[in-house]
Amino acid sequence: VYPTCVESPSTGGFRLDYDMGTGAVDYQAMTKWTVLTPSVDYDPTTKCSITDEPLGSSSQGGGGAGTSNETQVVALCCSTDKIPCHFQIGTISKCLGTNPSCPSCAFAFSIPGPQPSGTMIVRLDNHTKCTGFKKVGTYIIEYSFHGGIQHDRMLCPGQHYSGTSRTCYIPNTKEGKDAVELLKLAFQQGHCFMVGNSVTTGQKNTVIWGGIHQKTSPSGGATQHGWPDDTYFSRLATECANKGITLVDENAMDSSPDMPAASSSSSSSSSSSSSSS
């Protein structure tokens, strides 16, 4: 049901196979929300920071995954007395489906993105050089996605989408290695790609970039989505952090019920320096 990602060895690197499942996400488990009692834990007349409507006093349902009581009020794990992060279940679930950050305090949750099923293959090639990095080799990243049927968290649920393939390049430096690790985490958590309408080709319902920009050429500079690009690594870190992805969170993935860490057994603004859809 939930997205999964399996890692296996590949020549000169590794391979990730991502399965989107049904696209379902257990938001209760991801945010560790707790059900609130009206007039005890919160004031029902308080307006929601998302809808600007009163939170209300629904007290039905259990508040767990799959609950049908979408008007029940919960507190996210990031909630404090200073900034109460209180929302109706239906409201916060829809919000986190498009932006994995708390609408009140901006805390970033590691919530799986709407990425379709596909593969990511990473290998180190010492013969390929990125411009500006002639003394080191290059990590070559190959992505492949077949077409399929869109799930509920995609652009047009139930409709067919077409696949794509992309090749990206990262220099083998300390920053480059960190970048590969960030992209690996992003792919494992379903944030590298999504289904949408390509601004480059005009094609509708196809696999496009998911808001984390990558380099599709080893040369040509920022305007050609290649190298050199002095600010790329810092921008990449920021884009990943906006989706709740940082290197320090890598171990935390092991306990995530929605997005298991890869193992051997098992939306955003555009930038002229990044790859296009």
Side-chain angles (χ1 to χ4, degrees):
V1 176
Y2 300 131
T4 58
C5 195
V6 178
E7 180 177 356
S8 58
S10 183
T11 303
F14 63 87
R15 171 185 174 126
L16 297 178
D17 286 272
Y18 183 85
D19 186 340
M20 67 182 180
T22 63
V25 174
D26 186 347
Y27 292 111
Q28 190 280 328
M30 303 304 295
T31 64
K32 296 180 173 59
W33 75 41
T34 55
V35 179
L36 301 181
T37 301
S39 301
V40 175
D41 299 319
Y42 72 98
D43 181 353
T45 65
T46 300
K47 289 189 175 181
C48 173
S49 62
I50 302 174
T51 65
D52 199 36
E53 296 291 333
L55 290 171
S57 57
S58 175
S59 59
Q60 303 174 2
T67 179
S68 59
N69 186 12
E70 295 193 345
T71 60
Q72 192 165 32
V73 177
V74 297
L76 306 189
C77 65
C78 52
S79 183
T80 64
D81 291 337
K82 185 177 181 180
I83 305 179
C85 305
H86 299 167
F87 310 95
Q88 291 186 358
I89 288 176
T91 301
I92 190 60
S93 295
K94 291 178 181 178
C95 183
L96 292 174
T98 57
N99 185 339
S101 298
C102 173
S104 291
C105 71
F107 180 87
F109 294 101
S110 295
I111 293 177
Q115 180 174 281
S117 299
T119 61
M120 173 186 187
I121 299 176
V122 178
R123 61 185 174 88
L124 178 59
D125 185 339
N126 289 319
H127 299 289
T128 299
K129 307 293 183 180
C130 292
T131 301
F133 301 91
K134 64 180 182 179
K135 294 183 179 181
V136 299
T138 299
Y139 287 102
I140 298 178
I141 306 174
E142 296 175 312
Y143 296 102
S144 179
F145 295 87
H146 296 296
I149 301 299
Q150 299 181 52
H151 58 59
D152 289 343
R153 297 176 62 216
M154 290 181 173
L155 182 65
C156 299
Q159 292 188 25
H160 181 270
Y161 68 88
S162 59
T164 192
S165 60
R166 306 287 172 89
T167 301
C168 302
Y169 304 86
I170 301 286
N172 182 24
T173 62
K174 172 60 171 64
E175 288 182 309
K177 291 174 181 175
D178 288 345
V180 170
E181 287 301 311
L182 279 174
L183 293 173
K184 178 180 180 180
L185 289 173
F187 190 85
Q188 288 174 320
Q189 296 186 38
H191 288 291
C192 282
F193 292 84
M194 62 186 293
V195 172
N197 300 327
S198 173
V199 297
T200 302
T201 67
Q203 187 173 2
K204 298 182 181 299
N205 293 312
T206 189
V207 178
I208 61 174
W209 296 111
I212 296 178
H213 296 95
Q214 300 189 49
K215 294 297 185 180
T216 54
S217 174
S219 61
T223 59
Q224 299 298 316
H225 319 305
W227 299 96
D229 185 345
D230 294 339
T231 63
Y232 174 73
F233 293 122
S234 61
R235 296 198 316 275
L236 174 65
T238 298
E239 290 174 348
C240 288
N242 288 340
K243 295 181 180 293
I245 302 165
T246 63
L247 293 182
V248 295
D249 290 335
E250 185 171 4
N251 293 331
M253 289 182 62
D254 293 336
S255 60
S256 167
D258 271 80
M259 188 68 265
S263 67
S264 57
S265 60
S266 1
S267 89
S268 304
S269 61
S270 62
S271 169
S272 62
S273 59
S274 57
S275 53
S276 57
S277 301

